[in-house]
Amino acid sequence: MAAIPAMTGTILPDGVETELKLALDAKALAALLADDAFFPPDAKVQKQVSTYFDTPGAALKKAGLTLRVRRIGERRVQTLKAASGKAASLFVRTEWEHEILGDVPEVDGLVRMFGSALDGTDMESLHPVFATHVNRVRAEHVHDGSRIELVADKGMIRAGSRRTTICEVELELLEGDRRALFALARTISARVPVRLGVSSKSDRGQALLAEDAERMSKADPIWLSRDMSAADTFAAIVAACIHHYRVNEDLLLASADVEAVHQCRVALRRLRSALSIFQHCLDPASDHFRRELEWISGQLGAVRNVDVMIPRIDGQQALRTLRRARKHRQAALVAALDSARMRNLLLDLVEYSVEGEWRRGEIAMEPAGDFARQALDRLRRRMKRRGRHFRKMAEQDRHRLRIAGKKLRYAAEFFTALFRGRKAGRRREDLLSALEELQTGLGELNDMAVGRALLVELGIADADTLLPSASSRHVKKLLDRAADCHESLIDAKRFWR
């Protein structure tokens, strides 16, 4: 971050801010602040109040911009940030800062710089939307030859009458290699338990403003551009999947929410699919991440399998058994999520995606569009091959087809932004619609198979009575519908060609 000019003037770009964010609880933050290895005894606490502004129609948010005025003692600092896509702890943002005289933004420079993005917007209508009140402690570290500013923030976000706490650590690269950020983060993680922070204060303020800070979140569209490489595309997809996972993990840990469990599982399934889709440009180190993601996905799946069955069962004794199982499995899941193994897994995966040696390979440097076309063609061929003789398939083969369908669906969603236009959009929707219907039928068949196995595992007798939908007539109906969907899928035109 460049120095702030001493007087009001023209806004100039300060450059790119590269920051790693870590979330922790108040006890861990206090222990970190008390450790001289991270914060010297004479480190001063700085009180900051940052007010975020937008128009009544949220024009800045829609344009991907964040505008704030920060009060630091008698000083007032205006900051504008622009970001692309969701971040997975590693925030890389273009930032403009300058000192102003008052508590409201100076808009003339903003209109000059971002007129096209804000076309038709009345910048005079800017008003406060939320504010952060933070006690900030700073320290500078030299780690592996790189200069890093370590910042500890504790405070609160306020949006009207709504409140949420801030307790986080930020590592900003001042000079040197981004890998030093991850090295220092691991040193911190060895001292106190931390998790990747994937939401900026602005993101959290917007969620609080919309009153959805404590709701499960589905996957967001992934920002990609055609001039990206395959490697950068993979990194963007990993970032989006981890963001999807982490916002739901916080809700899961706070409330054991059924839908949060489901979305965490979906996020990791998408992440595992990304590793599979990009396996041709990754190196053997990616095998470790596949194994570890399979481990934690199994923990999530054990809880999710019970959650799926509880609404389907009428017997009171069976329900009591299922709820006891849910409680025990949830406790095991939380222990796994709280482990250093899981917390470090995500940190390692983010670093691997943005700094791994595999990025120097020939395939990794391919244009994103070329790589995506080949990947989608390959996945479509696999779906066609595995779907032959559909109605005569064994249960295990249907499961393999279902997994192949998920990968094709996720790939189509991952690469959406690379293939624009009305025709491509129409074809993509046709493909995704056929895939969704196929997955619905195969998913119900899989749920019944998993459900029967679960009832047997828990010692619940008479599974066929408790699962009446498992009749041969219903199974045949599901298979017929899935077979028709598979044919429609294969007939659907490719949106990427």
Side-chain angles (χ1 to χ4, degrees), residues 415-483:
F415 299 132
T416 287
L418 298 176
F419 306 103
R420 303 186 185 95
R422 184 176 299 176
K423 183 170 72 173
R426 186 173 59 251
R427 289 181 173 182
R428 182 176 58 253
E429 290 307 311
D430 289 343
L431 177 78
L432 289 174
S433 177
L435 275 169
E436 184 175 355
E437 286 194 50
L438 177 64
Q439 291 297 316
T440 298
L442 293 178
E444 188 169 344
L445 289 168
N446 183 71
D447 287 346
M448 288 190 293
V450 170
R452 286 194 297 272
L454 176 64
L455 295 182
V456 171
E457 178 187 348
L458 297 177
I460 299 173
D462 204 4
D464 289 332
T465 300
L466 292 170
L467 294 173
S469 62
S471 67
S472 59
R473 179 180 297 180
H474 186 66
V475 169
K476 183 179 184 303
K477 183 179 179 180
L478 289 174
L479 286 174
D480 287 343
R481 186 175 70 177

Side-chain angles (χ1 to χ4, degrees), residues 248-281:
N248 286 289
E249 183 192 46
D250 284 341
L251 179 58
L252 186 164
L253 291 168
S255 66
D257 183 78
V258 169
E259 285 304 311
V261 172
H262 177 50
Q263 288 301 320
C264 281
R265 191 178 180 217
V266 170
L268 294 189
R269 194 161 57 208
R270 287 165 61 89
L271 193 49
R272 292 167 66 192
S273 292
L275 286 166
S276 176
I277 292 164
F278 283 84
Q279 63 182 333
H280 297 291
C281 62

